[in-house]
Amino acid sequence: IDFYNKNINNYMTQETRDLSYIVIDNQNYLDELTPSNSKIKNYYDENKSIYEVPEKRDFIQFNFQSNDDANNFLNNVNNMNKDQIIEYANKNNIKYNKFQKLSKNEVLDDLSNEIFNLNIGEISKTIETTLAKHIVLIENIFEKEQLSFSEVESEIKKKILNVELNNYISELKNNISKDIVEGFSIDSIAEKNNLKILYINKANNIQETQNSS
């Protein structure tokens, strides 16, 4: 007995509890909340501007440390075509970068206003930014286009479904919270909302039951 009393902690079982909780699974509401074809089409028709691809441009940007260097470059390439300008830049170790399919909002404001007012093959005046002095040559222009309904149908469907699911689940949780405050039992709440209850006996042996109204 003395040994038992001295080592009683070794013979104590851990506290266990029986738990039950409601399960809310988004997947259970997909069929119910998936938008109809007409709802998807209406959303597209009312929000076409969202699905416009803005005008984009390919251009070459020549970079200079001073206005004099930039102006000299402009004077020297004045009557050259694109290939000749590139060749001149390479021979004279003039740094440049090539950019492809950039929209206006993807370019610095100081540059974009000039770039998007030029035609293919045209070269800009000297443009000054906080980084350097620049001269830009336009290589290609991709006009603004409207994505077709078939191209964005899946995206719209997913978008509407996510909104509907979030709203539905949020409202469901609010209603459950009100029922809890009003003293409804977990079984009543589950039955009322056709929800699953998970039971955990002694923190193990999970079993599912489905209540249906």
Side-chain angles (χ1 to χ4, degrees), residues 170-184 189 192:
S170 178
E171 184 177 357
L172 178 59
K173 288 179 178 178
N174 287 336
N175 289 337
I176 290 173
S177 295
K178 290 177 183 177
D179 288 343
I180 292 172
V181 171
E182 292 176 7
F184 284 84
I189 294 171
K192 177 181 178 182

Side-chain angles (χ1 to χ4, degrees), residues 1-7:
I1 294 176
D2 288 341
F3 178 84
Y4 173 77
N5 290 332
K6 289 178 181 179
N7 297 275

Side-chain angles (χ1 to χ4, degrees), residues 3-17:
F3 178 84
Y4 173 77
N5 290 332
K6 289 178 181 179
N7 297 275
I8 193 168
N9 287 337
N10 295 331
Y11 302 100
M12 298 284 287
T13 60
Q14 291 185 344
E15 178 182 326
T16 61
R17 298 194 178 196

